[in-house]
C-alpha cells in the first residue's frame, strides 16, 4: 500500500473535501483526486461518493478511515517515543480504565498519587462500561481498571482484584430541595424526588433493598450509569442523590449541596483490577498504598 495515498485520503475525509484538503497539504485538488483514485483502484472499492457539492464516505470508506486513524495515531506515538531529546528519559506510560459508575472525584483522589512518583508519568485515562474495560485489560491495552465492584469468577476473565477501601454513603440535595423535605432522615426521602444509579450498579442493588427495609418509596426522577451526570442533576435541585461519605465535604463544596443524611448500611467498595496477582507497576503500587493509608484509612 502507498501510505502517501492513504494520507491524502485521510486528510480529505477529515477536511470534508479536496479543496480544503489541498490547502492543508499545499497541493492541487486534481493531484489529490488522482492519488485517491489510485488508492481506490488498489483496494477495489470507491471510498467517496458525491453528495451535492461535497463528498461523503462510502461504507468501505468509513472502514478505511477507521484503519487510517489508527495507523497515523500509531505513527504519532512512534515519533513521540523515538524522537526524544538527548538525556531525556522516556516517561512511564500508565494506561488506566475508569468504570463510569465510579464518582469522578473518587477517581481523581485514587489516581493522583501516580503522578507524584519521582519519574515522569504519562497517564492515559479511558472511561467506559466495566465489561468493556475488562476486555481491554485482558488484551493488555490497559494497565489497570478502577471499579466499584470486583471481577466475578463467572466472567471468565483472568484478572485480580486489589481492594482499595470502602466508604459509607451520604445523601445530598440542593438547598432549595432540602427545604421541601419533611421529617427526619430517612423518612424524609419518602415521596421525595430521587436520582439513583443504574440497575447494574452495586450501590443501586443495595439502595433498592434499603428502600424496602425502611418502607420508603421515593419518586425516581432519573437513573444514571454516569455518576457525574447524576451529580450534575442533583446540583440543579432535580433530586436527592448519593455519593461516598469519604468525600462528603468535597461534594458539598463542588456541587453546592447539603447533606440530607448518611448511612453505614450502604457501602461502596473500590477496587484496582489488574492482570497481575502481585502488583509491579509503580503507578499501581502508588495508588494502592495511598488509598489504603490515606483516602480510606478512617
Amino acid at each position: 500500500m502507498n501510505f502517501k495515498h492513504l494520507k491524502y485520503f485521510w486528510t480529505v475525509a477529515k477536511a470534508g473535501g479536496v479543496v480544503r484538503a489541498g490547502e492543508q497539504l499545499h497541493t492541487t485538488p486534481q493531484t489529490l483526486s488522482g492519488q485517491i483514485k489510485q488508492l481506490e483502484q488498489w483496494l477495489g472499492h470507491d471510498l467517496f461518493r458525491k453528495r451535492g457539492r461535497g463528498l461523503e464516505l462510502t461504507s468501505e470508506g468509513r472502514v478505511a478511515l477507521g484503519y487510517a486513524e489508527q495507523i497515523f495515531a500509531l505513527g504519532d506515538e512512534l515519533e513521540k517515543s523515538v524522537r526524544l531529546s538527548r538525556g531525556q528519559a522516556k516517561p512511564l506510560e500508565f494506561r488506566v480504565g475508569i468504570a463510569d459508575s465510579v464518582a469522578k472525584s473518587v477517581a481523581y483522589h485514587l489516581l493522583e498519587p501516580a503522578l507524584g512518583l519521582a519519574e515522569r508519568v504519562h497517564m492515559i485515562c479511558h472511561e467506559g462500561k466495566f465489561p468493556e474495560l475488562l476486555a481491554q485489560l485482558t488484551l493488555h491495552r490497559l494497565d489497570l481498571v478502577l471499579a466499584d465492584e470486583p471481577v466475578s469468577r463467572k466472567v471468565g476473565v483472568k484478572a485480580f482484584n486489589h481492594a482499595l477501601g470502602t466508604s459509607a454513603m451520604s445523601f445530598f440535595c440542593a438547598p432549595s430541595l432540602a427545604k421541601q423535605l419533611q421529617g427526619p432522615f430517612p423518612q424524609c426521602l419518602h415521596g421525595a424526588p430521587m436520582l439513583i444509579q443504574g440497575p447494574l450498579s452495586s450501590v443501586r442493588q443495595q439502595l433498592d433493598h434499603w428502600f424496602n427495609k425502611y418502607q420508603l418509596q421515593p419518586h425516581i426522577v432519573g437513573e444514571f450509569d454516569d455518576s457525574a451526570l447524576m451529580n450534575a442533576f442533583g446540583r440543579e435541585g432535580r433530586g436527592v442523590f448519593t455519593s461516598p461519605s469519604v468525600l462528603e465535604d468535597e461534594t458539598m463544596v463542588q456541587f453546592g449541596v447539603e447533606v440530607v443524611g448518611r448511612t453505614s448500611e450502604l457501602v461502596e467498595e473500590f477496587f484496582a483490577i489488574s492482570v497481575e496477582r502481585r502488583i509491579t507497576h509503580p503507578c499501581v503500587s502508588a495508588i494502592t498504598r495511598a488509598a489504603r493509608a490515606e483516602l480510606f484509612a478512617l
Side-chain angles (χ1 to χ4, degrees):
M1 176 185 289
N2 188 322
F3 284 93
K4 184 177 182 180
H5 295 167
L6 186 64
K7 183 65 176 286
Y8 283 169
F9 157 74
W10 178 74
T11 305
V12 170
K14 300 290 284 184
V18 293
V19 175
R20 275 179 287 181
E23 293 172 352
Q24 295 177 20
L25 295 169
H26 305 291
T27 189
T28 65
Q30 293 78 12
T31 299
L32 278 177
S33 297
Q35 300 289 314
I36 292 173
K37 182 59 66 177
Q38 291 184 47
L39 178 62
E40 290 177 327
Q41 291 172 351
W42 188 84
L43 292 173
H45 291 281
D46 291 337
L47 302 177
F48 292 105
R49 67 168 68 93
K50 288 186 177 180
R51 183 172 185 178
R53 294 184 178 180
L55 296 173
E56 69 175 8
L57 291 166
T58 62
S59 58
E60 292 81 8
R62 288 192 292 272
V63 172
L65 179 60
Y67 280 104
E69 293 274 14
Q70 295 180 51
I71 289 170
F72 294 121
L74 286 172
D76 288 341
E77 289 184 19
L78 172 62
E79 183 176 5
K80 292 176 183 177
S81 177
V82 175
R83 295 183 61 183
L84 293 172
S85 59
R86 290 184 179 179
Q88 182 181 3
K90 180 180 178 181
L92 175 64
E93 188 174 274
F94 179 43
R95 301 161 298 171
V96 56
I98 306 165
D100 53 15
S101 55
V102 175
K104 303 301 177 291
S105 54
V106 173
Y108 166 74
H109 283 284
L110 289 174
L111 294 174
E112 194 275 335
L115 299 180
L117 297 177
E119 58 186 310
R120 291 195 307 129
V121 174
H122 180 194
M123 184 185 297
I124 305 169
C125 295
H126 299 279
E127 183 184 11
K129 302 295 183 186
F130 186 43
E132 297 170 0
L133 295 175
L134 287 180
Q136 296 297 310
L137 181 70
T138 57
L139 293 174
H140 299 280
R141 294 175 181 171
L142 295 173
D143 299 304
L144 181 74
V145 170
L146 291 181
D148 57 356
E149 61 180 298
V151 178
S152 171
R153 293 181 179 178
K154 297 179 181 179
V155 176
V157 173
K158 189 176 181 181
F160 301 96
N161 301 307
H162 307 285
L164 298 177
T166 62
S167 173
M169 299 299 290
S170 296
F171 291 74
F172 303 85
C173 72
S176 58
L177 178 57
K179 296 176 182 178
Q180 302 174 29
L181 301 180
Q182 299 178 359
F185 178 83
Q187 285 72 27
C188 63
L189 299 178
H190 186 75
M194 192 81 196
L195 308 169
I196 62 177
Q197 293 83 354
L200 298 181
S201 167
S202 60
V203 173
R204 167 62 183 279
Q205 297 169 34
Q206 296 180 57
L207 193 59
D208 288 341
H209 291 301
W210 190 78
F211 284 148
N212 289 331
K213 177 180 178 180
Y214 290 96
Q215 299 181 333
L216 301 174
Q217 293 182 337
H219 170 53
I220 306 301
V221 175
E223 303 181 31
F224 303 85
D225 290 331
D226 188 335
S227 61
L229 184 58
M230 181 180 70
N231 294 351
F233 273 81
R235 178 184 57 203
E236 300 302 322
R238 295 299 181 180
V240 179
F241 65 98
T242 62
S243 189
S245 299
V246 70
L247 296 178
E248 193 172 274
D249 292 340
E250 183 174 319
T251 302
M252 289 190 290
V253 173
Q254 182 178 359
F255 297 102
V257 293
E258 299 178 2
V259 176
V260 176
R262 58 186 65 85
T263 177
S264 59
E265 295 181 75
L266 300 177
V267 177
E268 187 163 14
E269 300 177 279
F270 298 95
F271 297 88
I273 301 168
S274 72
V275 293
E276 304 172 309
R277 181 185 296 275
R278 176 176 173 271
I279 297 173
T280 58
H281 196 294
C283 291
V284 180
S285 297
I287 287 171
T288 54
R289 283 198 307 269
R292 294 164 181 171
E294 300 172 21
L295 184 60
F296 299 110
L298 300 179

